[in-house]
Amino acid sequence: MAVSDTTLAAHDVQLKVQRSLSGEQRLLLAFEMSLFARELAREGIRRDNPEWPESLVARELLRLAFLPAPLPARLR
């Protein structure tokens, strides 16, 4: 069973709004949500590794997105 912090009434409103969007609006919303999720992940990496330069933060973001395990030491 899925866990949700959204009430059934709020969920119904969300669905109604989403269904009223055009295809272009839905695509834009998905893009904005993706950017927001990426920025949250980037901030988490920065919080956990404040000494890292931006290049390592970017590399770790890509690793988290595409690789199942940390990079080997020789690639860091």
Side-chain angles (χ1 to χ4, degrees), residues 53-66:
E54 193 57 32
S55 60
L56 278 180
V57 171
R59 179 181 271 190
E60 180 65 3
L61 185 63
L62 288 171
R63 189 203 62 78
L64 288 172
F66 298 108

Side-chain angles (χ1 to χ4, degrees), residues 4-15:
S4 177
D5 64 350
T6 304
T7 66
L8 187 54
H11 180 56
D12 289 343
V13 170
Q14 287 176 331
L15 285 178

Side-chain angles (χ1 to χ4, degrees), residues 32-53:
E32 289 173 351
M33 290 170 67
S34 176
L35 289 176
F36 181 69
R38 192 175 312 147
E39 191 56 35
L40 283 176
R42 183 177 280 119
E43 289 302 319
I45 294 166
R46 286 183 186 127
R47 182 197 64 228
D48 294 343
N49 305 283
E51 73 284 357
W52 282 10

